[in-house]
Amino acid sequence: MSTPEEDIRPVVTVTLNPAIDQTITVEALRPGHVHRASAVRRNAGGKGVNVASCLADWGTPVVATGLLGSGNATAFEALFAAKGIADRFVRLPGETRVNVKIADLAAADTTDLNLPGLTADADALDRVRRTLRELVLPGTPVLLAGSLPDGLPADSYATLTADLRALGARVVLDSSGPPLAAALAAPDLPFCIKPNRHELEAWAGIPLPDTDDLLAAARGLHRCGVAVVVVSLGADGALFVADGPALHARLPAVNALSTVGAGDAMVAGLIAAFGADLPLDGVARLSVAFATAKLGCFGPNLPGADAVRALAGQVELSTL
């Protein structure tokens, strides 16, 4: 007979296009001017890596896989070792891309410069697919996250979702543009998606200026077979659509040390809530609390669990 510990399925995160995030903080960004940075930080990142890091801080067992350049993998290996994340990344020749993020303190905003990175091919994707077949059991939560590297077709996430659904996994997809559109047009749909307003508008092909428009698009995706649709709205929280009434969840504004990775922290909260079999209001509370808690930390990190739970208790919920 299995023990409760043996019944716990580690979360598997898949990041096909990770990045080293270099965050440069300036007092006020003025294009065309010389700036003196007040701080510079480098973090191993990419959506799935950020989610794995936050889940590890929460105490969830995590396995991270995807594609990683062997030339500068040290930063990732150090993060995985420090947080107890199992490293099953496929190594490719070359270097993982570097993303430059300029944090403007005066505007409380961040400007992203995403540099080119690895080029992958069908063999690289097949190596990830084989790795997933070794890792995934029925009921395993699997996150597919981020952009695709050059060389992989737009339907790569659709292909992985079909594989994972056949293995009995619960798939969460956090992507945008053609990869998201291809995944949502495929027969095998993910369990959950988390677009932001702009990503949902890009998928819909029309502006979605108010809450009713966003809800209509999200409910349409739910009717097509996506069990949970979450639309993140930045400082305004998020919309949650599943069976039953939709919810709007938000927390009062907080002083943010860094907004980088807040959406990834929300995805980590979603996965943690799904793992605890929480109802939709619990999913909303925990995921918004994760995102807000991350605002007080640099890098893909969370404070202690007690601080996150306290925030979850303060989340304002309204039924739509």
Side-chain angles (χ1 to χ4, degrees):
M1 181 179 296
S2 64
T3 66
E5 290 77 12
E6 290 171 334
D7 289 335
I8 296 174
R9 296 278 186 260
V11 174
V12 177
T13 67
V14 181
T15 314
L16 296 177
N17 200 22
I20 295 175
D21 292 330
Q22 179 169 295
T23 303
I24 302 170
T25 303
V26 298
E27 293 300 322
L29 179 61
R30 300 173 61 198
H33 288 71
V34 176
H35 298 75
R36 184 179 296 276
S38 59
V40 179
R41 291 175 176 83
R42 288 171 65 89
N43 298 102
K47 281 184 174 294
V49 173
N50 293 342
V51 170
S53 179
C54 290
L55 285 170
D57 287 344
W58 183 247
T60 301
V62 190
V63 181
T65 187
L67 301 173
L68 199 61
S70 58
N72 58 350
T74 304
F76 294 89
E77 292 164 353
L79 173 68
F80 299 151
K83 296 210 174 190
I85 298 169
D87 177 7
R88 293 296 304 273
F89 267 89
V90 172
R91 267 52 171 191
L92 297 180
E95 293 192 346
T96 300
R97 64 191 176 131
V98 176
N99 288 343
V100 179
K101 300 176 182 294
I102 305 174
D104 183 343
L105 295 179
D109 201 359
T110 302
T111 299
D112 290 358
L113 302 173
N114 293 341
L115 306 184
L118 296 171
T119 297
D121 57 15
D123 179 67
L125 185 62
D126 283 343
R127 291 172 65 188
V128 174
R129 296 173 73 182
R130 291 195 295 271
T131 300
L132 288 171
R133 285 195 289 270
E134 297 172 4
L135 295 174
V136 173
L137 298 171
T140 299
V142 181
L143 169 69
L144 306 175
S147 60
L148 297 175
D150 289 342
L152 291 189
D155 65 355
S156 295
Y157 284 139
T159 297
L160 292 179
T161 299
D163 287 352
L164 293 164
R165 287 281 303 271
L167 294 170
R170 178 179 282 189
V171 179
V172 177
L173 173 63
D174 184 18
S175 190
S176 60
L180 174 63
L184 293 178
D188 295 297
L189 295 174
F191 172 78
C192 174
I193 61 171
K194 188 215 66 69
N196 60 32
R197 178 192 296 272
H198 300 301
E199 291 164 349
L200 190 59
E201 287 179 331
W203 170 80
I206 56 173
L208 303 170
D210 57 35
T211 300
D212 287 343
D213 298 318
L214 293 168
L215 275 177
R219 284 175 168 146
L221 286 167
H222 176 62
R223 285 193 297 270
C224 288
V226 182
V228 182
V229 181
V230 180
V231 184
S232 57
L233 303 174
D236 289 329
L239 305 177
F240 295 80
V241 175
D243 292 335
L247 298 176
H248 179 214
R250 67 182 301 275
L251 271 167
V254 298
N255 291 326
L257 290 178
S258 172
T259 60
V260 176
D264 302 333
M266 177 174 282
V267 174
L270 288 170
I271 294 171
F274 294 149
D277 291 324
L278 297 183
L280 189 63
D281 61 339
V283 172
R285 287 185 181 279
L286 192 60
S287 58
V288 170
F290 265 55
T292 305
K294 186 264 157 285
L295 296 177
C297 303
F298 287 110
N301 304 299
L302 289 182
D306 288 343
V308 177
R309 292 190 184 97
L311 287 170
Q314 300 170 32
V315 170
E316 301 170 357
L317 286 180
S318 57
T319 302
L320 303 175

